[in-house]
Amino acid sequence: MSTTQRIMSSLPAGQQAGGAGGQVSYADLQRADAAWRALRTTPPGAPTAPAPQVVKRKPGSCLSAAPSREAGSTGSSDSGGAGGKGAVDVDVAVCGGTLGVFVATSLALRGKRVAIVERGALRGRAQEWNVSRREVQELVALGVLTAGEVEDAIAVAFNPCRCGFAGGEDIWVSDILNLGVSPARLVEAAKQRFVSLGGVLLEGVALASIHVHDDAAVLSFEDPSRPPLTTRLVVDAMGHASPIVRQVRWGQKPDGICLVVGTCARGFPPEANSTGDIICTTGPTITIGQSPLQLFWEAFPSGSGPSDRTTYMFSYMDAQPERPSLEAMLELYWRLMPQYQGIDSIDSVAVQRVLFGFFPTFRDSPLRPAFDRVIQVGDASGIQSPLSFGGFGAITRHLPRITDGLVDALDGDLLSRNALACINPYQPNLSGAWLLQRAMSARVGSSPPPDFINNLLATNFACMQKLGDPVLRPFLQDVTQFAPLALTMGSMVVSRPSLLPTIFLQVGPIPLLDWLLHFTTLAAFSALHQLASALSLSEAVASLPPRQRFFWRRRLEAWEFGSGLDYKL
């Protein structure tokens, strides 16, 4: 019996929840490993079977409705109000409730009729989300949660947090990822608000198919006795494992993977359990089998007790067959975590939960809608940085923008895939983050200097610290901005020019040229946003007709969020 199986078999049976981190058993680990094995062993562009057909286009009308008002649209006509022939059941059907409940509630607060379709029970996981206060304040500003509900959900608060790399100096920051919030409480509070607003909650209801007609989308369910649901718009919030995303990306291999394992364990000295680690390393690149890896660590106090601490070990990589399994990573974790946390052995603490997952990322993100009336949000859209785990923080930052965009699309009857694509536009700051992801991972078959990644990151963080909070803090919250990035690069060239040849060899010329294109576009987006702000274009746009207003607002948002200038200190 492996150490992983021994430890996991001794844990009490936990309550399952949707989303990453909601699966808790050894059987869940085996299922996750089977999915990860299938992903990394399937050759790119060579699917083993025909693509699943969750979403199908059905020409013609399914309702008695007026013709579309959107020129050239194949499916965006207004389908009327509820309650009668020619009416949809709801304006929006949100599929996936764990994070989708925040989108659904935000839309309901704007007067839209919304349904949530959730395969299981709609509840958050037991394991806390580690967030910054600004992320939960977005929900308060939108009215999704009250300030009191947010405070009730905060299980633990701590400061400061550390960034440190082997051979370099530790850097300490405050008020970044320093809150442990209860997903169960946040989701329940949003769920109750959603229901109080008249939202339709379909729990324990598994989606089978979506038929997109000219005037509505029709959702059918695995339970044949449940009647179909008609809606003007489908919002896919089902995360990385969304069957719709699987259909759209069929045959594609992710460009990057973040492989994560960890625990919440009890028995750490309380006096040494008052700070967090955002990102740390303890040694050079290692090799598991044929896979070179740089291991990173993250750790936070847990709100379940003063001696409880959550620890993650993760690594960035591609999806090559040589990459290790989740269980192999856990076996390594049991050996290395005690050294990292300063305890004798894994048996010195009582493991409360075992955490595991793999997070795929694609260069062509955010994902453009592939169908009329269907749009992805959150992790399903790929809106998260390739350096992050995605999830809660990836959706809260964009929730005001997404809510405005969806409301404008519904009000203007602009529900074609081309119109919806403006809500998930190209973002050069997101695309530009791929260079660092490539530099932080070791390719199979490559032989970089064992300390290259540590030296690169230690230099990078030291330069950002010298440049101050306007440079360091956005980066630590997965926001890339042109001026801070340019200043950091210049500082690194001056302080450590010897790194440049190794960076070129490790990353390669084509990714560097690709990054340069995104970096140039990032500069253009920054300039355009600053010009638009100086000219008060948002005020001028407000007086335009609905169609023009929709597209101009999305353009202004693309410049703002694509440049990272939505982030304010």
Side-chain angles (χ1 to χ4, degrees):
M1 178 183 292
S2 68
T3 303
T4 301
Q5 190 171 4
R6 173 178 66 82
I7 290 174
M8 295 190 76
S9 64
S10 68
L11 299 177
Q15 193 176 61
Q16 299 283 350
Q23 291 72 48
V24 294
S25 69
Y26 185 69
D28 293 324
L29 172 64
Q30 290 179 306
R31 281 190 288 271
D33 248 340
W36 167 224
R37 182 169 55 252
L39 183 65
R40 68 181 190 269
T41 56
T42 300
T48 56
Q53 296 296 305
V54 179
V55 183
K56 294 181 180 179
R57 178 76 175 97
K58 296 289 185 179
S61 171
C62 67
L63 303 169
S64 298
S68 170
R69 294 195 302 269
E70 183 182 353
S73 168
T74 59
S76 60
S77 61
D78 187 353
S79 39
K85 188 176 180 181
V88 290
D89 297 315
V90 292
D91 297 314
V92 185
V94 177
C95 298
T98 305
L99 291 176
V101 67
F102 302 114
V103 180
T105 306
S106 184
L107 290 170
L109 285 161
R110 298 284 289 272
K112 303 306 174 187
R113 296 169 297 125
V114 188
I116 295 175
V117 179
E118 170 56 47
R119 172 180 286 272
L122 179 50
R123 58 172 170 246
R125 69 183 196 183
Q127 181 61 40
E128 292 150 16
W129 287 326
N130 288 101
V131 301
S132 306
R133 187 171 290 274
R134 66 183 301 131
E135 293 168 339
V136 286
Q137 285 302 122
E138 296 281 9
L139 299 176
V140 176
L142 288 169
V144 173
L145 298 174
T146 66
E149 287 166 341
V150 166
E151 292 303 319
D152 288 343
I154 296 174
V156 63
F158 49 89
N159 265 316
C161 289
R162 177 177 63 142
C163 305
F165 306 98
E169 297 291 328
D170 288 342
I171 293 171
W172 294 88
V173 295
S174 294
D175 301 326
I176 293 179
L177 300 185
N178 67 308
L179 301 180
V181 298
S182 164
R185 292 179 191 171
L186 285 180
V187 170
E188 182 61 26
K191 173 181 168 180
Q192 294 303 321
R193 177 141 299 106
F194 175 73
V195 172
S196 74
L197 292 166
V200 177
L201 180 57
L202 303 178
E203 291 184 282
V205 176
L207 176 69
S209 66
I210 300 170
H211 288 172
V212 178
H213 298 262
D214 291 347
D215 51 0
V218 181
L219 281 68
S220 299
F221 306 104
E222 290 183 2
D223 180 357
S225 67
R226 180 171 289 278
L229 180 75
T230 58
T231 180
R232 296 181 64 201
L233 177 67
V234 177
V235 173
D236 175 8
M238 293 183 282
H240 300 297
S242 162
I244 303 174
V245 173
R246 188 165 173 256
Q247 175 182 347
V248 175
R249 292 199 182 276
W250 190 251
Q252 295 182 37
K253 222 170 181 175
D255 297 293
I257 294 285
C258 184
L259 208 61
V260 186
V261 297
T263 58
C264 179
R266 178 168 296 161
F268 294 93
E271 64 275 9
N273 191 33
S274 59
T275 63
D277 286 349
I278 295 175
I279 182 168
C280 290
T281 64
T282 58
T285 302
I286 64 169
T287 300
I288 301 180
Q290 295 177 285
S291 175
L293 297 176
Q294 177 64 60
L295 299 176
F296 298 93
W297 296 90
E298 186 177 51
F300 306 102
S302 174
S304 52
S307 68
D308 295 2
R309 191 166 179 85
T310 299
T311 308
Y312 299 100
M313 184 184 80
F314 59 98
S315 187
Y316 300 110
M317 62 190 73
D318 49 26
Q320 294 301 309
E322 296 85 357
R323 296 306 189 180
S325 67
L326 287 164
E327 186 161 0
M329 287 283 282
L330 276 167
E331 290 297 310
L332 188 62
Y333 175 88
W334 307 129
R335 180 164 60 86
L336 297 181
M337 188 273 261
Q339 172 190 342
Y340 163 60
Q341 293 285 26
I343 58 176
D344 292 334
S345 74
I346 193 63
D347 294 320
S348 302
V349 293
V351 175
Q352 307 296 300
R353 282 183 294 278
V354 177
L355 312 166
F356 51 86
F358 62 93
F359 300 90
T361 49
F362 295 82
R363 288 183 182 275
D364 62 333
S365 295
L367 182 64
R368 286 180 62 88
F371 308 97
D372 296 340
R373 300 185 178 276
V374 180
I375 186 171
Q376 281 70 39
V377 299
D379 290 349
S381 71
I383 198 67
Q384 78 280 6
S385 160
L387 300 175
S388 78
F389 300 168
F392 182 73
I395 205 167
T396 55
R397 176 189 166 206
H398 295 275
L399 188 54
R401 176 183 67 81
I402 290 169
T403 301
D404 287 345
L406 295 179
V407 169
D408 285 351
L410 289 162
D411 290 347
D413 202 23
L414 297 161
L415 302 174
S416 70
R417 62 180 179 179
N418 288 334
L420 293 175
C422 297
I423 301 174
N424 278 343
Y426 162 68
Q427 296 190 16
N429 63 344
L430 182 65
S431 299
W434 276 99
L435 183 71
L436 189 54
Q437 194 273 356
R438 180 70 174 257
M440 292 171 68
S441 60
R443 285 174 289 167
V444 173
S446 67
S447 301
D451 289 319
F452 164 70
I453 295 174
N454 284 320
N455 291 337
L456 173 68
L457 292 174
T459 303
N460 177 269
F461 273 72
C463 290
M464 289 193 292
Q465 184 185 37
K466 289 178 182 176
L467 292 166
D469 282 353
V471 172
L472 180 61
R473 296 183 73 84
F475 179 84
L476 289 176
Q477 298 192 270
D478 287 321
V479 177
T480 303
Q481 298 173 330
F482 173 74
L485 180 57
L487 288 169
T488 302
M489 291 170 52
S491 179
M492 289 179 67
V493 169
V494 171
S495 63
R496 197 78 180 268
S498 60
L499 279 174
L500 294 180
T502 311
I503 292 174
F504 187 87
L505 290 172
Q506 171 69 4
V507 173
I510 294 176
L512 277 171
L513 289 172
D514 179 70
W515 173 84
L516 185 60
L517 173 64
H518 297 303
F519 180 68
T520 304
T521 311
L522 179 62
F525 272 46
S526 301
L528 287 167
H529 171 66
Q530 290 166 340
L531 179 62
S533 299
L535 296 176
S536 301
L537 283 189
S538 60
E539 297 176 14
V541 164
S543 61
L544 293 174
R547 179 182 174 83
Q548 291 176 299
R549 184 168 64 242
F550 171 83
F551 287 107
W552 265 105
R553 280 179 172 171
R554 306 296 79 79
R555 190 172 293 121
L556 294 176
E557 290 167 352
W559 295 341
E560 180 181 11
F561 283 79
S563 63
L565 295 178
D566 62 292
Y567 180 92
K568 305 292 190 296
L569 282 176

